Amino acid sequence: MDRDFLIDLFADFGPVTIRRMFSGFGISADGTNFALALRGGLYLRADDQTIPRFEAEGSKPFQYQTRAKTVTVGSYWQLPERLYDDPEELTGWARAALAAAQRAALRKRPKAKKATAQKKPATKMKKAANKKKPSS
């Protein structure tokens, strides 16, 4: 998959940013990455709300091999093949993927810390400062 193919594929979705990532591309909208084009496949961001749709289509999560094991990335699932020829339905899936990515970003944001009163560090008075100087 090349950059031009991806731009055409997401044309109905709206403007996307495509950046080199690993051995493929990251695809984002409004600053949020929602898809990966890697190893000849296209993977959309998924979460508990959208994974059942991918499972119903027979899609699998993204996987890669390390020296020791196969790693499954459950947050990105392969785009069903039939959607490559259905830009209107692909747009719906892409919007759902963007929404899943936005939900994930909200969960990652750190919670606001409670404001605490800052105490001044205690200082010791020097003995010399406490002594009165003799008058001349």
Side-chain angles (χ1 to χ4, degrees):
M1 263 179 241
D2 67 7
R3 184 181 302 270
D4 291 334
F5 174 79
L6 293 169
I7 290 169
D8 289 343
L9 189 65
F10 288 100
D12 288 352
F13 170 80
V16 294
T17 301
I18 298 173
R19 292 195 178 113
R20 278 307 249 157
M21 179 181 248
F22 308 116
S23 61
F25 297 99
I27 302 149
S28 61
D30 301 325
T32 302
N33 196 43
F34 70 93
L36 301 173
L38 297 169
R39 301 181 182 169
L42 183 61
Y43 299 87
L44 297 179
R45 180 75 168 166
D47 63 8
D48 291 342
Q49 292 181 32
T50 59
I51 287 173
R53 290 177 72 188
F54 288 96
E55 290 174 330
E57 292 281 344
S59 293
K60 301 286 184 207
F62 176 67
Q63 293 183 330
Y64 63 93
Q65 189 71 39
T66 68
R67 290 182 188 173
K69 62 182 179 176
T70 299
V71 177
T72 299
V73 182
S75 57
Y76 283 91
W77 284 65
Q78 190 160 26
L79 180 72
E81 285 291 322
R82 67 181 184 76
L83 296 179
Y84 286 98
D85 297 322
D86 189 345
E88 188 175 315
E89 191 172 357
L90 171 66
T91 296
W93 283 68
R95 291 195 196 297
L98 178 59
Q102 290 167 336
R103 286 189 295 273
L106 287 174
R107 285 190 299 272
K108 284 185 180 181
R109 287 195 179 139
K111 294 180 180 176
K113 293 182 180 180
K114 292 181 181 176
T116 57
Q118 290 185 354
K119 295 181 180 177
K120 291 183 180 179
T123 57
K124 294 182 180 178
M125 298 177 120
K126 292 183 181 178
K127 289 182 183 179
N130 290 339
K131 292 183 182 177
K132 292 185 177 180
K133 291 184 182 179
S135 340
S136 5

